[in-house]
């Protein structure tokens, strides 16, 4: 059933210009806060009354949250960086092409002009397109409250559909992505090729030495209450010969670890499980092919 | 909240309710009804405006967010009674039928051609991913964009 779309509910609005002003503001507010980044999830959810914030804190004017930098061997991305700026960034293309690949077809061009990377992660949709590549790349996120700051591995960030470990007075300030040399593959299956939410997506990063998988990291979206890392596949493939058999076995594991919600829209449990298998196979084939030429 | 912004090159000062989208604000308060409400969810592109030159969805912005910014609607394209070359191209190539999607299509064309004066068909398809048209079947729209690129270069 389609949700009814209504005008926005009432809320208070603040638009701090710096992280310092934000901290001062957060100390005064009690709860019911939603941060507004690109608004491409938040405003939709408010119109559908899925989210009814008391207070909106617009973080678009905090310049400090919008940057892409390489520091030693990590890429640091400010949470309010727009997806189109990430796609166009040569730093990202050269160092973490898996991310570019995954968000290139997220939503549509005009949505990506506003939608941010931080928003994609904080929404915590099981199908968020930036999550599988960032999980496979061992990314972490920095969370800042008025009097504390901590770094959390992305693998510990998601706890359920639309749920993360982030507390109400914490803002995600940046994403930290280690740079590594290897092969990348991302595949997204939606209802059509472009402009659609993923039904299932798979991202993998891998290194092959000789005939063997030396290191594979693989993550799936749309097959569980949160985006997940497939550690079972990674362990099984480590040091194992690259072959149709080993890839087929990995794909079977992808299917067996998939636990999609029965209530999820857009596709049945059986279909998601079957597609987890197919996409995992294709992603691993691509890596095997690329690494061996 | 009082906001000040540039609309089609003119400074505007207005009172914007906090809980109003830019789309409703433009239509209901400023009477700019060329900005259409198709879906109100970011999916159709009929509410497209250019924010600092880039196409965005006015249904997914709050009016108060444009304080200090530069907004273009299709009214900002033609000068006096003269059509902009993009508008001319859409007329010549039958780039519209009912016209509901057209302001969004033309603004998207402007943003594309400002950045990329010589787009390929693939570039056009990517730029128009989020703009739906129920009438033309899109071919005439692509032809219109290609002709507009030629007209502008002349
Ligand atoms: C038509 C359409 C198509 C879409 N297609 C896709 C798709 O193909 N794939 C996909 O993954 N998504 C898709 N989306 C969803 C959405 O565009 C993305 O998830 C986007 O990246 C969200 O970013 P945002 O900046 O707009 O988030 P917002 O809507 O601003 O915020 C989302 C949530 O995160 C919170 N938040 C935002 N930033 C922070 C922060 N820095 N710290 C703490 N909390 C924060 C907000 O409070 C809110 O709860 C689509 C949306 C639309 C409307
Ligand atoms: S009305 Fe905004 S995209 Fe449809
Ligand atoms: S001309 Fe009718 S919707 Fe495009």
């Amino acid at each position: 059933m389609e949700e009814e779309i209504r005008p926005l509910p009432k809320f208070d609005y603040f638009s701090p210009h710096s992280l310092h002003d934000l901290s001062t503001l957060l100390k005064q507010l009690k709860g019911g806060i939603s941060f507004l980044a690109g608004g491409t999830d938040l405003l939709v959810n408010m119109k559908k009354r899925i989210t009814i914030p008391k207070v909106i804190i617009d973080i678009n004017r905090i310049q400090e949250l919008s940057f892409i930098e390489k520091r030693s061997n990590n890429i640091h991305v400010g949470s309010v960086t727009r997806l189109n700026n990430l796609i166009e960034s040569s730093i990202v293309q050269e160092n973490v092409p898996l991310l570019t690949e995954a968000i290139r077809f997220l939503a549509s061009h005009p949505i990506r002009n506003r939608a941010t990377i931080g928003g994609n992660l904080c929404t915590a949709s099981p199908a968020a397109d930036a999550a599988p590549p960032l999980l496979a790349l061992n990314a972490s996120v920095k969370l800042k409250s008025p009097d504390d700051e901590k770094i959390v591995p992305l693998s510990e960030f998601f706890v359920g559909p639309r749920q993360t470990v982030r507390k109400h007075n914490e803002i995600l300030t940046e994403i930290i992505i280690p740079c590594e040399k290897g092969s990348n593959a991302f595949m997204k299956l939606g209802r059509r090729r472009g402009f659609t939410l993923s039904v299932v997506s798979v991202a993998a990063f891998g290194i092959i030495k000789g005939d063997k998988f030396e290191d594979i990291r693989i993550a799936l979206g749309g097959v569980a209450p949160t985006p997940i890392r497939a550690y079972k596949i990674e362990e099984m493939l480590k040091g194992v010969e690259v072959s149709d058999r080993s890839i087929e076995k990995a794909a079977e594991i992808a299917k067996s670890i998939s636990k999609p919600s029965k209530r999820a829209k857009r596709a049945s449990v059986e279909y998601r499980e079957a597609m987890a298998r197919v996409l995992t196979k294709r992603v691993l084939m691509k890596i095997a092919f690329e690494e061996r030429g | 909240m009082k906001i000040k912004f540039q609309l089609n090159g003119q400074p505007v000062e207005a009172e914007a309710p906090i809980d109003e989208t830019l789309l409703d604000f433009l239509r209901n308060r400023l009477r700019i009804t060329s900005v259409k409400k198709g879906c109100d969810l970011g999916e159709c592109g009929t509410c497209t405006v250019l924010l600092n030159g880039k196409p965005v969805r006015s249904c997914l912005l709050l009016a108060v967010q444009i304080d200090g910014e530069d907004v273009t609607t299709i009214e900002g394209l033609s000068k006096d009674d003269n059509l902009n070359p993009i508008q001319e191209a859409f007329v010549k190539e039958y780039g519209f039928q009912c016209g509901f999607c057209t302001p969004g299509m033309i603004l998207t064309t402007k943003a594309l051609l400002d950045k990329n004066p010589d787009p390929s068909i693939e570039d056009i398809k990517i730029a128009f991913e989020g703009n739906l048209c129920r009438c033309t079947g899109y071919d005439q729209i692509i032809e219109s964009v290609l002709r507009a690129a030629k007209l502008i270069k002349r």
Side-chain angles (χ1 to χ4, degrees):
Chain A
M1 200 188 76
E2 288 292 319
E3 295 96 341
E4 194 190 342
I5 305 153
R6 289 189 272 166
L8 294 170
K10 294 259 176 258
F11 51 85
D12 287 334
Y13 175 83
F14 298 94
S15 179
H17 280 69
S18 66
L19 282 175
H20 178 265
D21 290 355
L22 172 68
S23 289
T24 315
L25 179 64
L26 283 173
K27 278 185 192 157
Q28 293 158 7
L29 298 172
K30 290 221 177 55
I33 300 167
S34 281
F35 295 109
L36 171 64
T40 63
D41 275 314
L42 182 63
L43 296 196
V44 170
N45 287 339
M46 286 169 67
K47 289 179 190 184
K48 292 183 177 171
R49 297 297 187 272
I50 295 169
T51 311
I52 308 176
K54 282 207 197 76
V55 180
I56 284 192
I57 303 183
D58 184 349
I59 54 177
N60 285 284
R61 293 186 195 271
I62 307 180
Q63 292 295 331
E64 299 150 83
L65 292 177
S66 186
F67 60 87
I68 302 171
E69 281 167 22
K70 185 167 184 182
R71 292 183 219 147
S72 62
N73 210 28
N74 291 316
I75 304 297
H76 294 246
V77 179
S79 58
V80 186
T81 306
R82 315 273 171 212
L83 297 178
N84 272 344
N85 293 344
L86 274 172
I87 294 169
E88 285 163 14
S89 155
S90 53
I91 299 183
V92 177
Q93 278 167 28
E94 278 157 30
N95 295 283
V96 283
L98 185 57
L99 180 60
T100 313
E101 177 89 352
I103 59 178
R104 217 173 44 197
F105 296 109
L106 188 155
S108 60
H109 181 85
I111 299 262
R112 294 191 301 265
N113 275 337
R114 291 299 294 176
T116 65
I117 184 79
N120 193 251
L121 297 179
C122 290
T123 287
S125 153
D129 281 328
L134 290 174
L135 282 170
L137 292 169
N138 276 338
S140 19
V141 293
K142 199 184 260 185
L143 298 176
K144 187 183 174 344
S145 70
D147 27 45
D148 191 26
E149 193 171 82
K150 61 186 176 208
I151 293 177
V152 179
L154 192 62
S155 54
E156 293 165 20
F157 182 67
F158 303 113
V159 294
R162 296 184 215 271
Q163 284 176 315
T164 70
V165 297
R166 189 180 67 79
K167 299 203 186 74
H168 82 277
N169 67 344
E170 282 177 333
I171 179 167
L172 195 163
T173 52
E174 69 182 75
I175 295 125
I176 306 162
I177 319 164
C179 310
E180 282 173 86
K181 287 266 165 285
S183 286
N184 299 290
F186 175 80
M187 277 179 200
K188 150 172 179 169
L189 182 82
R191 280 183 166 172
R192 46 183 181 270
R193 189 188 68 93
F195 192 30
T196 186
L197 287 169
S198 294
V199 171
V200 175
S201 61
V202 181
F205 170 87
I207 301 168
I208 292 178
K209 275 252 170 76
D211 289 342
K212 298 199 167 104
F213 287 108
E214 171 159 298
D215 192 11
I216 289 281
R217 297 199 303 259
I218 183 162
L220 289 85
V223 302
T226 68
I228 53 165
R229 260 289 280 277
Y231 295 109
K232 256 191 171 167
I233 297 181
E234 300 176 8
E235 283 156 23
M236 191 280 284
L237 285 178
K238 207 170 172 67
V240 165
E241 197 180 333
V242 178
S243 67
D244 287 351
R245 256 192 68 208
S246 61
I247 291 178
E248 194 62 59
K249 205 168 147 197
E252 280 302 327
I253 299 180
K255 183 178 172 182
S256 70
I257 60 172
S258 293
K259 300 271 177 292
S261 157
K262 287 199 186 67
R263 284 178 309 170
K265 286 182 265 183
R266 295 196 298 280
S268 67
V269 168
E270 293 76 11
Y271 185 70
R272 284 175 195 270
E273 288 173 355
M275 290 307 112
R277 197 189 127 257
V278 172
L279 293 193
T280 298
K281 184 170 158 181
R282 289 187 190 161
V283 156
L284 291 173
M285 302 264 267
K286 177 161 182 265
I287 287 194
F289 188 74
E290 240 180 54
E291 282 269 299
R292 296 198 300 183
Chain B
M1 198 174 118
K2 203 170 201 79
I3 59 170
K4 285 188 199 175
F5 64 104
Q6 291 282 320
L7 178 63
N8 299 325
Q10 301 294 322
V12 174
E13 261 192 74
E15 190 59 37
I18 283 168
D19 56 354
E20 196 156 277
T21 60
L22 176 58
L23 171 60
D24 287 341
F25 172 75
L26 290 172
R27 287 183 62 84
N28 303 340
R29 298 189 196 264
L30 302 188
R31 297 280 165 208
I32 304 222
T33 51
S34 65
V35 190
K36 305 288 181 209
K37 188 186 282 193
C39 65
D40 216 12
L41 293 175
E43 290 173 5
C44 74
T46 58
C47 69
T48 304
V49 300
L50 303 185
L51 178 64
N52 305 322
K54 289 185 181 173
V56 296
R57 298 288 172 252
S58 64
C59 67
L60 297 184
L61 279 164
L62 300 175
V64 292
Q65 290 186 284
I66 61 163
D67 189 30
E69 313 287 345
D70 184 282
V71 176
T72 308
T73 65
I74 196 153
E75 285 78 2
L77 260 57
S78 50
K79 286 213 183 67
D80 307 320
D81 274 345
N82 299 322
L83 291 182
N84 172 292
I86 302 171
Q87 294 170 305
E88 213 181 302
F90 270 73
V91 173
K92 292 265 161 59
E93 294 290 344
Y94 300 94
F96 54 89
Q97 290 174 24
C98 80
F100 195 79
C101 70
T102 312
M105 293 289 180
I106 289 180
L107 288 166
T108 305
T109 311
K110 175 163 170 40
L112 171 67
L113 297 182
D114 282 350
K115 217 171 123 185
N116 176 358
D118 202 8
S120 66
I121 291 182
E122 196 53 32
D123 295 336
I124 298 173
K125 285 187 178 169
I126 290 176
F128 283 82
E129 248 173 0
N131 290 71
L132 307 186
C133 175
R134 300 198 118 181
C135 305
T136 64
Y138 301 101
D139 278 354
Q140 293 110 294
I141 292 176
I142 294 174
E143 292 303 323
S144 305
V145 179
L146 290 170
R147 187 193 276 241
K150 279 201 204 112
L151 287 178
I152 291 171
K153 261 190 273 168
R154 229 186 16 214

